[in-house]
Amino acid sequence: MTARIAFQGEPGAYSHQAIHDSRPGFEALPCATFEDAIEAVRSGEADQAMLPVENTTYGRVADIHRLLPESGLHIVDEAFVRVHINLLAVPGAQLSDITEAHSHLVLLPQCARFLRENGIAGRVSPDNARAARDVAAWGDRSKAALASELAGEIYGLEVLARHIEDHDTNTTRFLVMSRTPDLTRRADHMMTTFVFRVRNIPAALYKAMGGFATNGVNMTKLESYMVDGSFTATQFYADIEGHPDDANVKLALEELEYFTSYLKVLGTYPAASVRD
């Protein structure tokens, strides 16, 4: 039986592209929300979930940091997708025919130069893959979608222009989540992700971070966000290089635990090659 991996969005979304690129043997399961994708794994409907966590242009993906600690799932891998945006239209359409381009609100500004130079008006759609589906259904040569090439393949659209984004650095990082943790050392370069809350003592965060510096552990991400609907309840999300069994990582986490009221490791996994 083919393993299934859940994602938020419609077929052809960039989360689907991440599955296509990094989990080609899996069957992709589209879900309406992040919560639905997580629940699909918890219920056994899917074996894993592909969830976007951050983007180089727009930063943290809303809600993911809040959902992960309480999801009951574990990070077992990561994947990176370069967000290449393409102009997709119905077969037979030419670039000169296009007067409107439909896509998600965050994608339209990324193609502002191309749209302006070609006299194309941007139109907001709930999702880039939904835009591709709508364009295919409309059958109108004057309308196009800004989406992935995968979306074009799925909905039978032709690529009129490839990689039309204004900047070539837009990348989304995804986390692969599973019901079962995998704490084995599966690569020379491992990453570990955890969340924590510091104790209510002076300079607690400074002291908690000191263990990583003194033990030579590289922290690649540290973000804070509010929890429990309070401005004073703050939780931190962190990525570090290394495995919990590494001597220096073990010492750093022990020191961190001393200054925290809550500490939860979300997973340890091989660092994707894009980090190298």
Side-chain angles (χ1 to χ4, degrees):
M1 184 176 179
T2 303
R4 306 179 84 189
I5 182 166
F7 70 97
Q8 185 277 325
E10 301 199 23
Y14 286 101
S15 293
H16 191 187
Q17 184 76 55
I19 294 170
H20 181 270
D21 294 348
S22 65
R23 289 290 192 277
F26 280 67
E27 176 188 348
L29 175 65
C31 299
T33 66
F34 292 130
E35 289 90 342
D36 290 340
I38 290 170
E39 183 55 34
V41 180
R42 282 198 299 227
S43 68
E45 184 180 4
D47 301 278
Q48 295 181 343
M50 180 74 73
L51 301 176
V53 66
E54 59 187 327
N55 177 271
T56 54
T57 300
Y58 291 96
R60 184 172 69 200
V61 176
D63 292 335
I64 288 297
H65 290 65
R66 175 182 60 82
L67 291 172
L68 293 189
E70 306 305 321
S71 68
L73 304 184
H74 308 271
I75 305 170
V76 294
D77 207 351
E78 66 176 351
F80 291 81
V81 168
R82 266 287 289 112
V83 181
H84 287 304
I85 306 173
N86 310 278
L87 188 72
L88 309 176
V90 295
Q94 304 294 320
L95 179 57
S96 58
D97 297 328
I98 306 302
T99 60
E100 295 181 1
H102 297 252
S103 196
H104 191 278
L105 179 63
V106 301
L107 287 193
L108 291 172
Q110 297 179 42
C111 304
R113 184 186 307 125
F114 177 89
L115 297 179
R116 183 175 61 253
E117 290 175 351
N118 290 279
I120 300 172
R123 297 288 184 262
V124 176
S125 176
D127 181 80
N128 57 81
R130 169 66 179 274
R133 179 161 66 89
D134 287 344
V135 166
W138 294 330
D140 187 337
R141 293 190 181 190
S142 70
K143 300 186 189 317
L146 302 176
S148 67
E149 287 194 59
L150 179 60
E153 295 172 9
I154 291 172
Y155 299 109
L157 301 177
E158 293 184 349
V159 179
L160 299 188
R162 283 183 169 83
H163 303 181
I164 61 173
E165 58 271 16
D166 292 345
H167 304 288
D168 62 358
T169 58
N170 190 1
T171 300
T172 300
R173 178 187 177 216
F174 293 84
L175 297 176
V176 180
M177 311 293 296
S178 174
R179 287 187 301 279
T180 306
D182 187 349
L183 302 179
T184 61
R185 193 187 304 275
R186 310 184 292 285
D188 292 334
H189 188 186
M190 297 287 290
M191 301 292 298
T192 298
T193 296
F194 54 90
V195 291
F196 66 94
R197 300 182 197 180
V198 295
R199 293 165 53 197
N200 188 22
I201 59 176
L205 180 60
Y206 172 81
K207 295 172 181 176
M209 294 296 95
F212 296 95
T214 57
N215 288 289
V217 177
N218 186 31
M219 181 171 287
T220 60
K221 172 174 285 296
L222 177 65
E223 291 194 4
S224 63
Y225 57 102
M226 291 180 294
V227 292
D228 299 333
S230 170
F231 285 107
T232 59
T234 303
Q235 190 154 288
F236 294 88
Y237 176 103
D239 293 333
I240 59 172
E241 294 182 346
H243 187 279
D245 288 342
D246 295 339
N248 61 336
V249 172
K250 186 178 295 186
L251 289 171
L253 289 176
E254 287 175 356
E255 190 164 341
L256 172 66
E257 193 167 14
Y258 179 78
F259 293 106
T260 58
S261 58
Y262 171 77
L263 172 62
K264 183 175 185 178
V265 174
L266 299 180
T268 183
Y269 46 94
S273 59
V274 73
R275 291 181 178 274
D276 297 338

Short mmCIF file of all heavy atoms in Angstrom, two decimals, residues 84-148:
data_model
loop_
_atom_site.label_atom_id
_atom_site.label_comp_id
_atom_site.label_asym_id
_atom_site.label_seq_id
_atom_site.Cartn_x
_atom_site.Cartn_y
_atom_site.Cartn_z
N HIS A 84 9.22 29.01 -7.65
CA HIS A 84 9.24 29.50 -9.02
C HIS A 84 7.80 29.76 -9.46
O HIS A 84 6.94 28.88 -9.37
CB HIS A 84 9.88 28.48 -9.96
CG HIS A 84 11.36 28.37 -9.80
ND1 HIS A 84 12.20 29.46 -9.91
CD2 HIS A 84 12.16 27.31 -9.55
CE1 HIS A 84 13.46 29.07 -9.74
NE2 HIS A 84 13.45 27.78 -9.50
N ILE A 85 7.55 30.97 -9.95
CA ILE A 85 6.20 31.35 -10.36
C ILE A 85 6.13 31.37 -11.88
O ILE A 85 7.01 31.92 -12.55
CB ILE A 85 5.83 32.73 -9.78
CG1 ILE A 85 6.02 32.74 -8.26
CG2 ILE A 85 4.38 33.07 -10.12
CD1 ILE A 85 5.86 34.11 -7.63
N ASN A 86 5.08 30.76 -12.41
CA ASN A 86 4.91 30.64 -13.85
C ASN A 86 3.56 31.19 -14.28
O ASN A 86 2.59 31.12 -13.53
CB ASN A 86 5.01 29.17 -14.27
CG ASN A 86 6.24 28.49 -13.70
OD1 ASN A 86 7.32 28.61 -14.24
ND2 ASN A 86 6.08 27.80 -12.57
N LEU A 87 3.51 31.72 -15.49
CA LEU A 87 2.25 32.22 -16.05
C LEU A 87 1.61 31.07 -16.83
O LEU A 87 2.17 30.61 -17.83
CB LEU A 87 2.51 33.41 -16.97
CG LEU A 87 1.26 34.14 -17.48
CD1 LEU A 87 0.60 34.93 -16.34
CD2 LEU A 87 1.59 35.05 -18.65
N LEU A 88 0.45 30.61 -16.34
CA LEU A 88 -0.23 29.45 -16.92
C LEU A 88 -1.53 29.88 -17.58
O LEU A 88 -2.29 30.68 -17.01
CB LEU A 88 -0.54 28.42 -15.83
CG LEU A 88 0.62 28.01 -14.91
CD1 LEU A 88 0.11 27.07 -13.83
CD2 LEU A 88 1.74 27.35 -15.72
N ALA A 89 -1.81 29.33 -18.75
CA ALA A 89 -3.03 29.68 -19.47
C ALA A 89 -3.57 28.47 -20.20
O ALA A 89 -2.90 27.44 -20.32
CB ALA A 89 -2.76 30.82 -20.45
N VAL A 90 -4.79 28.60 -20.72
CA VAL A 90 -5.42 27.49 -21.44
C VAL A 90 -4.66 27.23 -22.74
O VAL A 90 -4.04 28.14 -23.30
CB VAL A 90 -6.90 27.78 -21.73
CG1 VAL A 90 -7.68 27.88 -20.43
CG2 VAL A 90 -7.06 29.05 -22.55
N PRO A 91 -4.67 26.01 -23.22
CA PRO A 91 -3.98 25.69 -24.47
C PRO A 91 -4.41 26.60 -25.62
O PRO A 91 -5.60 26.88 -25.79
CB PRO A 91 -4.39 24.23 -24.73
CG PRO A 91 -4.66 23.69 -23.37
CD PRO A 91 -5.29 24.81 -22.62
N GLY A 92 -3.44 27.07 -26.37
CA GLY A 92 -3.70 27.94 -27.51
C GLY A 92 -3.57 29.42 -27.21
O GLY A 92 -3.47 30.24 -28.13
N ALA A 93 -3.56 29.77 -25.92
CA ALA A 93 -3.43 31.19 -25.56
C ALA A 93 -1.99 31.66 -25.79
O ALA A 93 -1.05 30.88 -25.66
CB ALA A 93 -3.83 31.40 -24.12
N GLN A 94 -1.84 32.94 -26.13
CA GLN A 94 -0.54 33.56 -26.28
C GLN A 94 -0.37 34.61 -25.19
O GLN A 94 -1.35 35.09 -24.62
CB GLN A 94 -0.43 34.22 -27.67
CG GLN A 94 -0.67 33.28 -28.83
CD GLN A 94 0.39 32.21 -28.94
OE1 GLN A 94 1.58 32.49 -28.75
NE2 GLN A 94 -0.02 30.98 -29.26
N LEU A 95 0.88 34.97 -24.93
CA LEU A 95 1.14 35.98 -23.90
C LEU A 95 0.39 37.28 -24.21
O LEU A 95 -0.13 37.93 -23.30
CB LEU A 95 2.65 36.25 -23.80
CG LEU A 95 3.09 37.30 -22.79
CD1 LEU A 95 2.60 36.94 -21.38
CD2 LEU A 95 4.61 37.44 -22.80
N SER A 96 0.30 37.63 -25.48
CA SER A 96 -0.38 38.87 -25.88
C SER A 96 -1.88 38.82 -25.61
O SER A 96 -2.54 39.87 -25.57
CB SER A 96 -0.13 39.15 -27.36
OG SER A 96 -0.58 38.06 -28.15
N ASP A 97 -2.44 37.61 -25.40
CA ASP A 97 -3.87 37.48 -25.12
C ASP A 97 -4.22 37.80 -23.67
O ASP A 97 -5.37 38.14 -23.36
CB ASP A 97 -4.35 36.04 -25.40
CG ASP A 97 -4.21 35.63 -26.84
OD1 ASP A 97 -4.35 36.50 -27.72
OD2 ASP A 97 -3.96 34.43 -27.10
N ILE A 98 -3.24 37.69 -22.78
CA ILE A 98 -3.51 37.72 -21.34
C ILE A 98 -3.73 39.14 -20.85
O ILE A 98 -2.89 40.02 -21.05
CB ILE A 98 -2.36 37.07 -20.55
CG1 ILE A 98 -2.08 35.65 -21.07
CG2 ILE A 98 -2.69 37.06 -19.07
CD1 ILE A 98 -3.27 34.70 -21.00
N THR A 99 -4.86 39.36 -20.20
CA THR A 99 -5.16 40.66 -19.59
C THR A 99 -5.26 40.58 -18.07
O THR A 99 -5.12 41.58 -17.38
CB THR A 99 -6.48 41.23 -20.13
OG1 THR A 99 -7.56 40.32 -19.82
CG2 THR A 99 -6.40 41.45 -21.64
N GLU A 100 -5.50 39.36 -17.53
CA GLU A 100 -5.62 39.16 -16.09
C GLU A 100 -4.79 37.95 -15.65
O GLU A 100 -4.78 36.93 -16.34
CB GLU A 100 -7.07 38.92 -15.67
CG GLU A 100 -8.00 40.08 -15.89
CD GLU A 100 -9.42 39.77 -15.43
OE1 GLU A 100 -9.67 38.64 -14.92
OE2 GLU A 100 -10.29 40.64 -15.59
N ALA A 101 -4.14 38.08 -14.50
CA ALA A 101 -3.41 36.96 -13.90
C ALA A 101 -3.93 36.76 -12.49
O ALA A 101 -3.91 37.69 -11.68
CB ALA A 101 -1.91 37.22 -13.88
N HIS A 102 -4.39 35.56 -12.18
CA HIS A 102 -4.99 35.25 -10.89
C HIS A 102 -4.02 34.45 -10.04
O HIS A 102 -3.37 33.52 -10.52
CB HIS A 102 -6.28 34.46 -11.09
CG HIS A 102 -7.34 35.21 -11.84
ND1 HIS A 102 -8.47 35.70 -11.23
CD2 HIS A 102 -7.42 35.58 -13.15
CE1 HIS A 102 -9.21 36.32 -12.12
NE2 HIS A 102 -8.60 36.26 -13.30
N SER A 103 -3.93 34.80 -8.75
CA SER A 103 -3.08 34.05 -7.83
C SER A 103 -3.34 34.51 -6.40
O SER A 103 -4.11 35.44 -6.16
CB SER A 103 -1.60 34.22 -8.18
OG SER A 103 -0.83 33.23 -7.52
N HIS A 104 -2.66 33.84 -5.47
CA HIS A 104 -2.76 34.20 -4.06
C HIS A 104 -2.19 35.61 -3.86
O HIS A 104 -1.28 36.03 -4.57
CB HIS A 104 -2.00 33.19 -3.20
CG HIS A 104 -2.25 33.33 -1.74
ND1 HIS A 104 -1.60 34.25 -0.95
CD2 HIS A 104 -3.10 32.66 -0.92
CE1 HIS A 104 -2.02 34.15 0.29
NE2 HIS A 104 -2.93 33.20 0.34
N LEU A 105 -2.71 36.29 -2.85
CA LEU A 105 -2.32 37.66 -2.57
C LEU A 105 -0.81 37.84 -2.41
O LEU A 105 -0.24 38.85 -2.82
CB LEU A 105 -3.04 38.15 -1.30
CG LEU A 105 -2.74 39.56 -0.82
CD1 LEU A 105 -3.20 40.58 -1.87
CD2 LEU A 105 -3.43 39.83 0.51
N VAL A 106 -0.13 36.84 -1.81
CA VAL A 106 1.30 37.00 -1.55
C VAL A 106 2.15 36.78 -2.80
O VAL A 106 3.31 37.19 -2.85
CB VAL A 106 1.79 36.07 -0.42
CG1 VAL A 106 1.04 36.34 0.86
CG2 VAL A 106 1.68 34.61 -0.81
N LEU A 107 1.60 36.11 -3.81
CA LEU A 107 2.38 35.86 -5.03
C LEU A 107 2.33 37.03 -6.01
O LEU A 107 3.30 37.27 -6.73
CB LEU A 107 1.89 34.59 -5.73
CG LEU A 107 2.21 33.25 -5.10
CD1 LEU A 107 1.93 32.12 -6.09
CD2 LEU A 107 3.66 33.16 -4.66
N LEU A 108 1.22 37.74 -6.05
CA LEU A 108 1.07 38.80 -7.04
C LEU A 108 2.17 39.86 -6.96
O LEU A 108 2.75 40.22 -8.00
CB LEU A 108 -0.32 39.45 -6.89
CG LEU A 108 -1.50 38.57 -7.30
CD1 LEU A 108 -2.81 39.24 -6.92
CD2 LEU A 108 -1.48 38.30 -8.81
N PRO A 109 2.52 40.38 -5.77
CA PRO A 109 3.59 41.40 -5.72
C PRO A 109 4.94 40.86 -6.16
O PRO A 109 5.80 41.64 -6.58
CB PRO A 109 3.61 41.81 -4.24
CG PRO A 109 2.30 41.37 -3.69
CD PRO A 109 1.93 40.15 -4.44
N GLN A 110 5.14 39.55 -6.07
CA GLN A 110 6.43 38.98 -6.45
C GLN A 110 6.64 38.97 -7.96
O GLN A 110 7.75 38.77 -8.44
CB GLN A 110 6.55 37.56 -5.91
CG GLN A 110 6.52 37.49 -4.39
CD GLN A 110 6.62 36.07 -3.88
OE1 GLN A 110 7.40 35.27 -4.40
NE2 GLN A 110 5.83 35.74 -2.87
N CYS A 111 5.57 39.21 -8.71
CA CYS A 111 5.65 39.25 -10.17
C CYS A 111 5.27 40.63 -10.71
O CYS A 111 4.89 40.77 -11.87
CB CYS A 111 4.73 38.19 -10.78
SG CYS A 111 5.03 36.53 -10.21
N ALA A 112 5.36 41.64 -9.85
CA ALA A 112 4.88 42.98 -10.22
C ALA A 112 5.55 43.51 -11.49
O ALA A 112 4.88 44.10 -12.36
CB ALA A 112 5.10 43.94 -9.06
N ARG A 113 6.85 43.31 -11.61
CA ARG A 113 7.56 43.84 -12.78
C ARG A 113 7.06 43.18 -14.07
O ARG A 113 6.78 43.85 -15.06
CB ARG A 113 9.06 43.62 -12.62
CG ARG A 113 9.88 44.24 -13.76
CD ARG A 113 11.35 43.89 -13.67
NE ARG A 113 11.90 44.22 -12.36
CZ ARG A 113 12.53 43.37 -11.57
NH1 ARG A 113 12.70 42.11 -11.95
NH2 ARG A 113 13.01 43.75 -10.41
N PHE A 114 6.95 41.86 -14.05
CA PHE A 114 6.51 41.13 -15.24
C PHE A 114 5.09 41.55 -15.62
O PHE A 114 4.80 41.79 -16.81
CB PHE A 114 6.56 39.63 -14.99
CG PHE A 114 6.04 38.80 -16.13
CD1 PHE A 114 6.90 38.39 -17.14
CD2 PHE A 114 4.71 38.43 -16.20
CE1 PHE A 114 6.42 37.64 -18.21
CE2 PHE A 114 4.23 37.68 -17.25
CZ PHE A 114 5.09 37.28 -18.26
N LEU A 115 4.20 41.64 -14.65
CA LEU A 115 2.82 42.01 -14.93
C LEU A 115 2.74 43.42 -15.50
O LEU A 115 2.00 43.67 -16.47
CB LEU A 115 1.97 41.89 -13.65
CG LEU A 115 1.85 40.49 -13.04
CD1 LEU A 115 1.01 40.54 -11.78
CD2 LEU A 115 1.27 39.50 -14.04
N ARG A 116 3.50 44.32 -14.92
CA ARG A 116 3.49 45.71 -15.40
C ARG A 116 4.01 45.81 -16.83
O ARG A 116 3.42 46.49 -17.68
CB ARG A 116 4.33 46.58 -14.46
CG ARG A 116 4.32 48.05 -14.82
CD ARG A 116 5.06 48.88 -13.78
NE ARG A 116 6.46 48.49 -13.67
CZ ARG A 116 6.97 47.81 -12.64
NH1 ARG A 116 6.20 47.42 -11.63
NH2 ARG A 116 8.26 47.50 -12.61
N GLU A 117 5.12 45.15 -17.11
CA GLU A 117 5.73 45.23 -18.44
C GLU A 117 4.84 44.62 -19.52
O GLU A 117 4.94 45.00 -20.70
CB GLU A 117 7.09 44.51 -18.42
CG GLU A 117 8.15 45.25 -17.61
CD GLU A 117 9.45 44.46 -17.51
OE1 GLU A 117 9.46 43.28 -17.93
OE2 GLU A 117 10.44 45.04 -17.01
N ASN A 118 3.97 43.69 -19.12
CA ASN A 118 3.11 43.03 -20.11
C ASN A 118 1.66 43.49 -20.05
O ASN A 118 0.79 42.90 -20.71
CB ASN A 118 3.18 41.51 -19.93
CG ASN A 118 4.52 40.94 -20.36
OD1 ASN A 118 4.75 40.73 -21.54
ND2 ASN A 118 5.40 40.73 -19.39
N GLY A 119 1.39 44.55 -19.27
CA GLY A 119 0.05 45.12 -19.20
C GLY A 119 -1.00 44.16 -18.66
O GLY A 119 -2.15 44.16 -19.11
N ILE A 120 -0.60 43.34 -17.70
CA ILE A 120 -1.50 42.34 -17.13
C ILE A 120 -1.93 42.79 -15.74
O ILE A 120 -1.10 43.17 -14.91
CB ILE A 120 -0.81 40.96 -17.04
CG1 ILE A 120 -0.39 40.49 -18.44
CG2 ILE A 120 -1.71 39.94 -16.38
CD1 ILE A 120 0.46 39.23 -18.42
N ALA A 121 -3.23 42.74 -15.47
CA ALA A 121 -3.77 43.11 -14.15
C ALA A 121 -3.78 41.90 -13.23
O ALA A 121 -4.21 40.81 -13.64
CB ALA A 121 -5.18 43.67 -14.30
N GLY A 122 -3.32 42.10 -12.01
CA GLY A 122 -3.35 41.03 -11.03
C GLY A 122 -4.71 40.89 -10.38
O GLY A 122 -5.34 41.90 -10.06
N ARG A 123 -5.15 39.66 -10.17
CA ARG A 123 -6.43 39.40 -9.52
C ARG A 123 -6.21 38.39 -8.39
O ARG A 123 -5.56 37.36 -8.58
CB ARG A 123 -7.44 38.83 -10.52
CG ARG A 123 -7.79 39.80 -11.65
CD ARG A 123 -8.66 40.94 -11.13
NE ARG A 123 -9.09 41.83 -12.20
CZ ARG A 123 -8.49 42.99 -12.50
NH1 ARG A 123 -7.42 43.37 -11.79
NH2 ARG A 123 -8.94 43.74 -13.48
N VAL A 124 -6.77 38.67 -7.22
CA VAL A 124 -6.53 37.84 -6.04
C VAL A 124 -7.40 36.60 -6.06
O VAL A 124 -8.61 36.66 -6.33
CB VAL A 124 -6.81 38.65 -4.75
CG1 VAL A 124 -6.66 37.76 -3.52
CG2 VAL A 124 -5.86 39.84 -4.66
N SER A 125 -6.76 35.47 -5.77
CA SER A 125 -7.44 34.18 -5.65
C SER A 125 -7.11 33.61 -4.27
O SER A 125 -6.07 33.94 -3.69
CB SER A 125 -6.95 33.23 -6.75
OG SER A 125 -7.52 31.95 -6.60
N PRO A 126 -7.97 32.74 -3.71
CA PRO A 126 -7.68 32.17 -2.39
C PRO A 126 -6.39 31.35 -2.34
O PRO A 126 -5.78 31.21 -1.29
CB PRO A 126 -8.90 31.28 -2.12
CG PRO A 126 -9.97 31.78 -3.02
CD PRO A 126 -9.27 32.31 -4.22
N ASP A 127 -5.97 30.82 -3.50
CA ASP A 127 -4.82 29.93 -3.52
C ASP A 127 -4.28 29.87 -4.95
O ASP A 127 -5.06 29.97 -5.90
CB ASP A 127 -5.25 28.53 -3.06
CG ASP A 127 -4.10 27.54 -3.04
OD1 ASP A 127 -3.32 27.54 -2.08
OD2 ASP A 127 -3.99 26.76 -4.00
N ASN A 128 -2.97 29.73 -5.10
CA ASN A 128 -2.41 29.71 -6.45
C ASN A 128 -2.88 28.49 -7.24
O ASN A 128 -3.14 28.59 -8.44
CB ASN A 128 -0.88 29.78 -6.40
CG ASN A 128 -0.26 28.68 -5.59
OD1 ASN A 128 -0.08 27.57 -6.05
ND2 ASN A 128 0.08 28.97 -4.32
N ALA A 129 -2.99 27.34 -6.59
CA ALA A 129 -3.48 26.15 -7.29
C ALA A 129 -4.96 26.30 -7.63
O ALA A 129 -5.41 25.85 -8.68
CB ALA A 129 -3.25 24.91 -6.43
N ARG A 130 -5.72 26.94 -6.75
CA ARG A 130 -7.14 27.21 -7.03
C ARG A 130 -7.24 28.12 -8.25
O ARG A 130 -8.13 27.96 -9.11
CB ARG A 130 -7.79 27.86 -5.82
CG ARG A 130 -9.18 28.45 -6.05
CD ARG A 130 -10.21 27.38 -6.38
NE ARG A 130 -11.53 27.97 -6.58
CZ ARG A 130 -12.38 28.23 -5.59
NH1 ARG A 130 -12.05 27.94 -4.33
NH2 ARG A 130 -13.56 28.74 -5.83
N ALA A 131 -6.33 29.09 -8.36
CA ALA A 131 -6.33 29.98 -9.52
C ALA A 131 -6.12 29.19 -10.80
O ALA A 131 -6.80 29.42 -11.81
CB ALA A 131 -5.25 31.04 -9.37
N ALA A 132 -5.19 28.23 -10.77
CA ALA A 132 -4.95 27.39 -11.95
C ALA A 132 -6.19 26.58 -12.30
O ALA A 132 -6.56 26.45 -13.48
CB ALA A 132 -3.75 26.49 -11.70
N ARG A 133 -6.83 26.03 -11.28
CA ARG A 133 -8.05 25.25 -11.53
C ARG A 133 -9.16 26.11 -12.13
O ARG A 133 -9.85 25.69 -13.05
CB ARG A 133 -8.51 24.60 -10.22
CG ARG A 133 -9.79 23.79 -10.35
CD ARG A 133 -9.97 22.82 -9.19
NE ARG A 133 -10.18 23.49 -7.92
CZ ARG A 133 -11.38 23.84 -7.45
NH1 ARG A 133 -12.47 23.62 -8.17
NH2 ARG A 133 -11.50 24.41 -6.26
N ASP A 134 -9.30 27.33 -11.59
CA ASP A 134 -10.33 28.24 -12.11
C ASP A 134 -10.05 28.63 -13.56
O ASP A 134 -10.97 28.67 -14.39
CB ASP A 134 -10.41 29.49 -11.23
CG ASP A 134 -11.05 29.22 -9.88
OD1 ASP A 134 -11.70 28.16 -9.73
OD2 ASP A 134 -10.89 30.06 -8.97
N VAL A 135 -8.80 28.95 -13.86
CA VAL A 135 -8.46 29.34 -15.23
C VAL A 135 -8.78 28.21 -16.20
O VAL A 135 -9.31 28.43 -17.30
CB VAL A 135 -6.96 29.75 -15.32
CG1 VAL A 135 -6.50 29.84 -16.78
CG2 VAL A 135 -6.75 31.08 -14.62
N ALA A 136 -8.47 26.98 -15.81
CA ALA A 136 -8.79 25.84 -16.66
C ALA A 136 -10.30 25.71 -16.86
O ALA A 136 -10.77 25.42 -17.97
CB ALA A 136 -8.22 24.56 -16.05
N ALA A 137 -11.07 25.94 -15.79
CA ALA A 137 -12.53 25.81 -15.87
C ALA A 137 -13.14 26.92 -16.71
O ALA A 137 -14.10 26.69 -17.45
CB ALA A 137 -13.12 25.81 -14.46
N TRP A 138 -12.60 28.14 -16.61
CA TRP A 138 -13.15 29.26 -17.37
C TRP A 138 -12.93 29.10 -18.87
O TRP A 138 -13.75 29.51 -19.67
CB TRP A 138 -12.52 30.58 -16.91
CG TRP A 138 -12.88 30.95 -15.50
CD1 TRP A 138 -14.03 30.64 -14.82
CD2 TRP A 138 -12.07 31.71 -14.59
NE1 TRP A 138 -13.98 31.15 -13.55
CE2 TRP A 138 -12.80 31.81 -13.37
CE3 TRP A 138 -10.81 32.29 -14.67
CZ2 TRP A 138 -12.30 32.48 -12.26
CZ3 TRP A 138 -10.30 32.97 -13.57
CH2 TRP A 138 -11.04 33.06 -12.39
N GLY A 139 -11.80 28.55 -19.25
CA GLY A 139 -11.50 28.38 -20.66
C GLY A 139 -11.36 29.68 -21.43
O GLY A 139 -11.54 29.72 -22.65
N ASP A 140 -10.99 30.74 -20.75
CA ASP A 140 -10.88 32.08 -21.33
C ASP A 140 -9.41 32.38 -21.61
O ASP A 140 -8.58 32.37 -20.70
CB ASP A 140 -11.45 33.09 -20.34
CG ASP A 140 -11.54 34.50 -20.89
OD1 ASP A 140 -10.79 34.82 -21.85
OD2 ASP A 140 -12.34 35.29 -20.36
N ARG A 141 -9.09 32.66 -22.87
CA ARG A 141 -7.69 32.89 -23.26
C ARG A 141 -7.12 34.18 -22.69
O ARG A 141 -5.90 34.37 -22.73
CB ARG A 141 -7.56 32.91 -24.78
CG ARG A 141 -7.82 31.57 -25.44
CD ARG A 141 -7.43 31.60 -26.90
NE ARG A 141 -7.70 30.33 -27.56
CZ ARG A 141 -7.29 30.02 -28.79
NH1 ARG A 141 -6.62 30.92 -29.48
NH2 ARG A 141 -7.58 28.85 -29.31
N SER A 142 -7.96 35.05 -22.18
CA SER A 142 -7.47 36.32 -21.63
C SER A 142 -7.07 36.21 -20.16
O SER A 142 -6.47 37.13 -19.60
CB SER A 142 -8.52 37.42 -21.78
OG SER A 142 -9.63 37.19 -20.92
N LYS A 143 -7.39 35.07 -19.53
CA LYS A 143 -7.11 34.90 -18.11
C LYS A 143 -6.00 33.87 -17.91
O LYS A 143 -5.95 32.85 -18.60
CB LYS A 143 -8.37 34.47 -17.36
CG LYS A 143 -9.52 35.46 -17.46
CD LYS A 143 -10.67 35.04 -16.59
CE LYS A 143 -11.93 35.87 -16.82
NZ LYS A 143 -11.72 37.30 -16.95
N ALA A 144 -5.12 34.16 -16.95
CA ALA A 144 -4.02 33.26 -16.64
C ALA A 144 -3.89 33.09 -15.14
O ALA A 144 -4.53 33.82 -14.36
CB ALA A 144 -2.71 33.80 -17.22
N ALA A 145 -3.08 32.13 -14.73
CA ALA A 145 -2.81 31.90 -13.31
C ALA A 145 -1.31 32.02 -13.07
O ALA A 145 -0.50 31.71 -13.95
CB ALA A 145 -3.29 30.52 -12.90
N LEU A 146 -0.96 32.48 -11.89
CA LEU A 146 0.44 32.49 -11.44
C LEU A 146 0.58 31.34 -10.46
O LEU A 146 0.02 31.39 -9.36
CB LEU A 146 0.78 33.82 -10.77
CG LEU A 146 0.59 35.08 -11.61
CD1 LEU A 146 0.87 36.32 -10.77
CD2 LEU A 146 1.48 35.06 -12.84
N ALA A 147 1.30 30.31 -10.85
CA ALA A 147 1.36 29.10 -10.03
C ALA A 147 2.56 28.25 -10.42
O ALA A 147 3.38 28.66 -11.25
CB ALA A 147 0.06 28.31 -10.17
N SER A 148 2.64 27.07 -9.83
CA SER A 148 3.74 26.15 -10.11
C SER A 148 3.51 25.42 -11.43
O SER A 148 2.37 25.31 -11.92
CB SER A 148 3.85 25.12 -8.98
OG SER A 148 2.71 24.27 -8.96
#
